[in-house]
Every structure is written in C-alpha cells, then in structure tokens.
Amino acid sequence: MSRIALPTTQPTTLARDVEALGPAETETATFGMGCFWGPDALFGAKPGVVRTRVGYAGGTTSEPTYYALGDHTEVVQIEYDPDRWTYAELLDVVWANHDWTRSQKRQYRGVILAHDERQRAVAERSRDALADRTGQSVETAVESLQQFSPAEDYHQKYELRTLPVVADELEELYGDAFTASTVAARLNGFAAGYGSEGQQRDLLATLDLPPTVLDEVRRRL
C-alpha cells in the first residue's frame, strides 16, 4: 500500500506533525463517498484523524489516473488514532455524509473498502443494521481493498489549495510530505468549513507561519 513518509528533518513550523502518531501507531480506512475532495476535508478536520489522502481504488485497471480512471472509484484514505476512533464510529460518519440510498456511476459510487476481515465484518454489520433501522435498501457496497493509487498532487488537500497563499507556503515547507501532514489535513478541513472555532483557534496559535499566511487562513474561516 502506498504511503508518503515524512522527512527525517522537520522545520520548527512542523512541530505539530513531529508530535503526530506515526503510521505504525495508526489504523487505516478507505471509503468512497462521491467526489473525494469533500470527504478529504470532512475527515481531515476531525481530532484523532492523523493523515488523509485521496486516490483511486475498487477496480482492476492498473495505474489509474483522473483522466484514465478505468473501473476505479474516487476514495479517501485516512490514518486514524485507534484510541480516539473505532472503525464502527468512522462508519457512522460515512453513513451520515453520503447518499447511501442511490446507486451512482462507478467513479462516485459509495463503497467501503475493508483493509482486513475484521473491518469487513464490522462494515457488513453496520450496513445491515442501517438497512434494518431505516427499512431502506443500502446501495453502498462493502468490498475488500485490493490496491490504492494516490491521486495527482492537485487533488490532494483541494480545499486548502483554494487558499494559494497558504498552500504554497506549506508545500514549500513540507515538500513531498505535504499530503502526509496532519496540519495540512486540519487546515484543509477548516477551509471547507469543518471544525469548531476552538479547534481552529488552538491550531493556528501553534503554527509558526508568516502573518500573511495566518491572516489568509483566518479570513477564510
């Protein structure tokens, strides 16, 4: 599975990322919920979600790209703190934030891609419970993840990229680790309108960024 490693040397600005859990301490989940920009921001703003990335999965085409997607689906992949979230709780967020009653074109379909048999069993129970509770047919599929292909850079942290002053500064600081940044995930969520005022205030107070960058973030929030 593709992962983006943080560099071994970090600028002072990235202290919040240095303190973040490493991949060995997190668990990973992959969901298709329509266009992947929205779920990336939704999950990125949530405390306990450590990293997010968007990509393509659920199909058989090798090396999919946005303009040659084949039979893949747009998905968000998250790394989360298992002490803060259970997989079942993440599924509650998934059900509440996409239309699971409709069958969509494959690119934007609802799908839960389980990383192991435990996740698949939890997802199937959750799906069945939703159908029983609502009396409606659940069109969102539950499948096993076979491969995940990261999307192109311009799709990663899309909402944050609508603030080019901020995104350009962070990309210069992070380089290839921009997508793997917890700070970038949070700011991406905040830019889309997710997260509480307290979350936003607390994070911005810890970032040693130029005043012009912080002002641009605050202007959008």
Side-chain angles (χ1 to χ4, degrees):
M1 185 172 300
S2 176
R3 294 190 184 276
I4 304 173
L6 289 172
T8 55
T9 58
Q10 301 272 357
T12 303
T13 309
L14 308 188
R16 288 295 292 269
D17 280 308
V18 174
E19 296 166 0
L21 297 179
E25 302 171 281
T26 62
E27 294 185 6
T28 307
T30 304
F31 306 119
M33 302 166 61
C35 175
F36 48 25
W37 295 337
D40 188 27
L42 170 71
F43 281 108
K46 293 189 177 298
V49 171
V50 182
R51 280 170 285 276
T52 69
R53 49 191 165 262
V54 297
Y56 314 115
T60 59
T61 306
S62 61
E63 301 183 358
T65 67
Y66 186 71
Y67 292 106
L69 195 58
D71 57 350
H72 287 282
T73 299
E74 293 189 15
V75 299
V76 61
Q77 187 167 90
I78 68 172
E79 291 181 34
Y80 63 97
D81 181 353
D83 290 334
R84 301 284 296 276
W85 289 91
T86 66
Y87 189 65
E89 288 169 339
L90 292 174
L91 291 173
D92 289 341
V93 177
V94 173
W95 299 129
N97 287 279
H98 82 289
D99 187 354
W100 45 266
T101 66
R102 294 177 56 196
S103 178
Q104 307 283 359
K105 62 182 293 188
R106 193 167 181 90
Q107 179 176 357
Y108 300 121
R109 70 187 176 121
V111 61
I112 297 165
L113 291 164
H115 287 239
D116 54 34
E117 288 305 312
R118 178 189 63 84
Q119 283 191 357
R120 182 155 189 156
V122 172
E124 289 175 343
R125 286 197 300 270
S126 179
R127 186 177 186 270
D128 291 346
L130 179 63
D132 290 344
R133 185 169 67 252
T134 63
Q136 293 181 272
S137 175
V138 180
E139 297 299 324
T140 296
V142 176
E143 300 173 3
S144 296
L145 178 68
Q146 301 300 322
Q147 62 173 320
F148 172 83
S149 299
E152 296 80 354
D153 287 347
Y154 63 88
H155 287 301
Q156 306 293 344
K157 308 297 180 286
Y158 179 81
E159 294 291 343
L160 185 56
R161 291 179 189 278
T162 66
L163 302 175
V165 171
V166 183
D168 290 352
E169 178 74 20
L170 290 176
E171 283 197 288
E172 183 176 345
L173 287 171
Y174 284 87
D176 292 341
F178 174 75
T179 299
S181 162
T182 303
V183 169
R186 293 287 184 276
L187 292 177
N188 186 57
F190 297 166
Y194 297 111
S196 69
E197 290 185 10
Q199 279 182 272
Q200 297 166 3
R201 183 179 58 251
D202 291 347
L203 177 62
L204 293 181
T206 68
L207 300 182
D208 183 17
L209 292 170
T212 53
V213 175
L214 293 175
D215 287 346
E216 180 67 9
V217 176
R218 293 187 180 101
R219 183 188 66 78
R220 178 67 173 266
L221 299 182

